[in-house]
Amino acid sequence: MRLNNSLQGSILLARHNLTELRNLELDVNNFTTIPNSLSSCSELEVLKINLNHLDGPFPTAICQLKFLQHLDISENNIGGILPACFSPPHMRYAKLSKNRLQGPLPHAFFNWTRLQILDLSHNQLTGPIPKWFDNLSILRILLLNKNHFEGEILSQFCNLSELSLIDLSNNSLSGSIPPCLGNITFTPLLGNLGLPRSGVVLRAQDIMVEELIESVTKSITLVYRGNTISAIDLSCNNFAGHIPPKIGKLFHLKSLNLSHNSLSGTISITFANLTAQRT
């Protein structure tokens, strides 16, 4: 079910005839609220309500969608703290960017072991990046930029061996850049990102990765296509110390941005290995 119009008001869902609905796309409208009756769509796997006018706290009705795999509620006015109940076990793609979310990341995210893309950018999230992030072992894309995260990047973060792109820019992170980031290959994202039971293939091209993966480097906006995503952006933070030589061995990287920090020392000769070209 897809509605891309100028509809407005509340989303009205009839309890008696949507129990088998698996794909609901209401993006690019003027809806303002998500009803509690959304929880009756118990088989829902894809929910897109981005680019609306949703207001208030995170809709707890979404917590009841146990089969949800693809969620996009970006570019709304949803505020407050993410509830602990938000922990769908099958989630693969979550885009909550450009809202007004606040507070630390809930421990419930620990259970998102199938997650491959997480976009929480352009919010007001605070606190450190949690230790449990390494439980997201197949995460490919992580966007936490333009929030208020602080503290150091912990070594557990380096266990995200499947990463293709990480953007932590425009936060208040500090400490040194972990040398173990050089152990992640950052190979370009290729192929299928999952197959929900409804038959909707979550490939890069199907989930608007071009909109998702947008990075501003030196006032130049870079938009990565599905098969060229491979980047690290740690700019506009408070990182100090030297740049680990291991970073220079990430020859798959298409983009590396460490600007606007307090880094010092020399640049290792290993950085001559960064020869990949952005296409």
Side-chain angles (χ1 to χ4, degrees), residues 75 100 118 266:
E75 299 193 56
R100 295 182 294 106
L118 177 61
T266 60

Side-chain angles (χ1 to χ4, degrees), residues 26-29 31 34 47-55 58-59 62 70-78 86 93-101 118-123 143 207-208 211-213:
L26 303 171
D27 50 308
V28 197
N29 280 289
F31 290 118
I34 295 177
L47 176 62
K48 296 179 62 179
I49 320 180
N50 53 301
L51 284 163
N52 276 276
H53 299 288
L54 301 179
D55 207 343
F58 184 88
I62 295 178
H70 180 146
L71 174 66
D72 189 347
I73 56 172
S74 62
E75 299 193 56
N76 282 287
N77 294 305
I78 298 172
F86 183 43
Y93 170 96
K95 185 175 182 182
L96 288 72
S97 60
K98 298 182 180 178
N99 281 287
R100 295 182 294 106
L101 297 171
L118 177 61
D119 185 357
L120 296 171
S121 63
H122 296 264
N123 279 289
L143 305 180
I207 57 178
M208 297 190 300
E211 175 191 354
L212 173 70
I213 308 305

Side-chain angles (χ1 to χ4, degrees), residues 77-81 96-105 120-127 144-149 171:
N77 294 305
I78 298 172
I81 297 174
L96 288 72
S97 60
K98 298 182 180 178
N99 281 287
R100 295 182 294 106
L101 297 171
Q102 302 173 352
L105 295 179
L120 296 171
S121 63
H122 296 264
N123 279 289
Q124 301 167 27
L125 298 168
T126 58
L144 300 180
N145 50 301
K146 293 196 174 180
N147 279 283
H148 303 296
F149 290 112
N171 281 285

Side-chain angles (χ1 to χ4, degrees), residues 31-279:
F31 290 118
T32 55
T33 59
I34 295 177
N36 290 332
S37 56
L38 177 68
S39 60
S40 66
C41 303
S42 56
E43 298 293 317
L44 203 62
E45 298 176 356
V46 177
L47 176 62
K48 296 179 62 179
I49 320 180
N50 53 301
L51 284 163
N52 276 276
H53 299 288
L54 301 179
D55 207 343
F58 184 88
T60 55
I62 295 178
C63 295
Q64 307 302 316
L65 304 177
K66 301 303 182 183
F67 293 105
L68 194 62
Q69 299 187 35
H70 180 146
L71 174 66
D72 189 347
I73 56 172
S74 62
E75 299 193 56
N76 282 287
N77 294 305
I78 298 172
I81 297 174
L82 285 169
C85 66
F86 183 43
S87 57
H90 303 287
M91 184 70 74
R92 297 172 186 249
Y93 170 96
K95 185 175 182 182
L96 288 72
S97 60
K98 298 182 180 178
N99 281 287
R100 295 182 294 106
L101 297 171
Q102 302 173 352
L105 295 179
H107 191 267
F109 280 27
F110 177 85
N111 298 318
W112 291 21
T113 55
R114 300 186 182 186
L115 192 66
Q116 298 184 45
I117 295 180
L118 177 61
D119 185 357
L120 296 171
S121 63
H122 296 264
N123 279 289
Q124 301 167 27
L125 298 168
T126 58
I129 297 176
K131 294 180 180 180
W132 48 256
F133 244 98
D134 63 343
N135 198 51
L136 311 181
S137 58
I138 62 172
L139 193 66
R140 300 301 308 272
I141 296 172
L142 177 62
L143 305 180
L144 300 180
N145 50 301
K146 293 196 174 180
N147 279 283
H148 303 296
F149 290 112
E150 58 187 6
E152 300 183 6
I153 299 179
L154 302 177
S155 59
Q156 290 95 327
F157 207 79
C158 298
N159 294 330
L160 301 177
S161 58
E162 299 297 320
L163 276 179
S164 296
L165 184 147
I166 178 173
D167 191 344
L168 305 180
S169 64
N170 290 277
N171 281 285
S172 297
L173 298 170
S174 59
S176 60
I177 297 175
C180 59
L181 282 180
N183 297 333
I184 305 174
T185 58
F186 287 95
T187 53
L189 180 64
L190 295 170
N192 191 346
L193 291 181
L195 182 63
R197 293 180 302 134
S198 60
V200 179
V201 179
L202 301 185
R203 296 174 301 183
Q205 298 88 341
D206 297 332
I207 57 178
M208 297 190 300
V209 165
E210 287 197 5
E211 175 191 354
L212 173 70
I213 308 305
E214 182 177 288
S215 177
V216 179
T217 301
K218 300 294 186 181
S219 300
I220 300 174
T221 299
L222 305 178
V223 180
Y224 298 90
R225 298 183 183 276
N227 62 350
T228 63
I229 298 170
S230 178
I232 299 174
D233 193 343
L234 304 180
S235 63
C236 300
N237 280 286
N238 299 313
F239 292 114
H242 69 282
I243 302 173
K246 275 190 174 183
I247 301 295
K249 297 181 180 180
L250 299 175
F251 57 88
H252 288 298
L253 277 182
K254 302 289 183 180
S255 175
L256 173 64
N257 189 357
L258 305 177
S259 63
H260 297 282
N261 281 287
S262 299
L263 299 170
S264 59
T266 60
I267 297 177
S268 171
I269 193 173
T270 60
F271 276 69
N273 296 321
L274 300 180
T275 57
Q277 298 296 313
R278 186 172 61 88
T279 57

Side-chain angles (χ1 to χ4, degrees), residues 1-5 7 10-14 17-27 29 31 38 41 44-50 198 200:
M1 178 178 179
R2 181 178 177 85
L3 296 172
N4 186 330
N5 294 284
L7 300 173
S10 300
I11 301 170
L12 300 179
L13 297 173
N17 62 358
L18 294 178
T19 55
E20 296 185 3
L21 185 67
R22 297 189 176 180
N23 189 341
L24 179 59
E25 301 185 28
L26 303 171
D27 50 308
N29 280 289
F31 290 118
L38 177 68
C41 303
L44 203 62
E45 298 176 356
V46 177
L47 176 62
K48 296 179 62 179
I49 320 180
N50 53 301
S198 60
V200 179

